């Protein structure tokens, strides 16, 4: 296991003791903004001497340039059999070529060494992902902000950990981009990634994807490929 992947595996270990007794209060993240009463606007007094206002110009649809199409993100191949949590709490896909490991009961998947056509290499472990689980005291639906807050609360102790805007993923999940740093000895290198949070009965699943600069280009594909595979265990028929 590379030192860079220990960055977020260690964070899960730091919060492990809290996860057992952590209680959910979804109402803390609901919108409780006060409703302000609106003061009726004063009725304007017409001025006969005033000239009539010129009509507003009608925009020409042809003059508005169309929005560029959203860039497509390629999905990556997966192993035919997903990773199954020994505690029967969740399953997640295994990207082909990634090395699966278990560290202190936590699954860890690291990218392989990649040889580029220009003879450059992307070192093994440039991209890695893991899954954490947080228990819930209620199955009440969580909004996007609440799911993003779970991600922040779980990994906020990371070195220079910062997050971007939280976005919904369907009706039961959200994604949160993040960045941070990893210091090894006297060397500091930037890290970035994506956190996918999905609510399932009794729990919230948290998929953390992390990458160094060498693996940053792979992040969108890795996150998009893995997000739909993060699920509760399928019931055996």
């Amino acid at each position: 296991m590379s030192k860079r992947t220990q960055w977020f595996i260690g964070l899960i270990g730091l919060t492990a003791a809290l996860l057992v007794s952590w209680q959910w209060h979804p109402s803390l993240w609901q919108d409780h903004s006060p409703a302000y009463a609106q003061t009726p606007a004063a009725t304007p007094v017409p001025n006969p001497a005033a000239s009539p206002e010129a009509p507003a110009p009608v925009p020409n649809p042809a003059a508005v340039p169309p929005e560029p199409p959203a860039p497509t993100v390629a999905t990556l191949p997966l192993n035919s059999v997903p990773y199954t949590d020994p505690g029967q709490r969740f399953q997640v896909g295994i990207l082909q070529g990634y090395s699966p490991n278990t560290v202190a009961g936590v699954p860890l998947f690291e990218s392989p060494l990649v040889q580029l056509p220009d003879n450059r290499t992307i070192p093994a472990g440039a991209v890695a992902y893991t899954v954490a689980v947080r228990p819930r005291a209620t199955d009440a639906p969580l909004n996007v902000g609440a799911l993003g807050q779970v991600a922040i609360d779980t990994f906020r102790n990371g070195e220079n950990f910062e997050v971007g805007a939280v976005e919904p993923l369907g009706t039961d999940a959200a994604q949160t981009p993040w960045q941070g740093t990893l210091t090894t000895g006297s060397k500091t290198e930037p890290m970035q990634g994506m956190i996918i949070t999905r609510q399932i009965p009794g729990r919230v699943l948290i998929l953390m994807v992390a990458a160094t600069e060498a693996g940053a280009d792979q992040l969108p594909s890795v996150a998009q490929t893995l997000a739909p595979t993060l699920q509760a265990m399928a019931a055996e028929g």
Side-chain angles (χ1 to χ4, degrees):
M1 180 179 63
S2 62
K3 290 183 178 180
R4 58 179 58 91
T5 57
Q6 295 175 2
W7 187 89
F8 59 92
I9 289 297
L11 294 179
I12 296 177
L14 289 175
T15 58
L18 299 176
L19 304 186
V20 177
S21 59
W22 194 76
Q23 296 294 314
W24 281 91
H25 299 283
S27 61
L28 295 178
W29 294 292
Q30 293 175 355
D31 186 7
H32 295 295
S33 302
Y36 296 101
Q38 294 184 354
T39 303
T43 303
V45 178
N47 182 3
S51 59
E53 295 183 358
V58 178
N60 181 7
V64 180
E67 294 185 2
T72 57
V73 177
T75 55
L76 303 174
L78 292 162
N79 289 358
S80 58
V81 179
Y83 171 83
T84 299
D85 173 53
Q88 302 295 302
R89 299 171 298 175
F90 68 89
Q91 63 185 24
V92 68
I94 302 176
L95 292 171
Q96 285 188 9
Y98 276 56
S99 301
N101 298 286
T102 302
V103 181
V106 178
L108 172 67
F109 308 88
E110 294 185 276
S111 61
L113 174 71
V114 177
Q115 184 73 43
L116 299 176
D118 58 2
N119 293 326
R120 291 184 299 114
T121 60
I122 299 177
V127 180
Y129 64 96
T130 188
V131 178
V133 181
R134 302 201 74 161
R136 297 189 60 189
T138 173
D139 282 336
L142 299 176
N143 58 32
V144 173
L147 290 171
Q149 189 64 49
V150 175
I152 295 172
D153 289 345
T154 303
F155 295 102
R156 62 186 176 187
N157 291 326
E159 186 178 357
N160 295 323
F161 180 74
E162 296 180 358
V163 299
V166 183
E167 297 181 353
L169 285 179
T171 59
D172 63 348
Q175 62 179 9
T176 308
W178 65 271
Q179 61 183 10
T181 55
L182 172 68
T183 300
T184 305
S186 59
K187 181 182 178 181
T188 299
E189 61 178 318
M191 296 185 68
Q192 59 181 294
M194 187 70 70
I195 306 175
I196 309 294
T197 45
R198 182 181 302 279
Q199 54 185 340
I200 64 173
R203 302 178 179 90
V204 169
L205 306 178
I206 310 167
L207 169 66
M208 160 69 93
V209 183
T212 60
E213 284 187 306
D217 291 345
Q218 304 176 51
L219 274 175
S221 293
V222 170
Q224 180 165 299
T225 302
L226 292 175
T229 73
L230 182 67
Q231 299 289 342
M233 287 293 300
E236 296 184 0

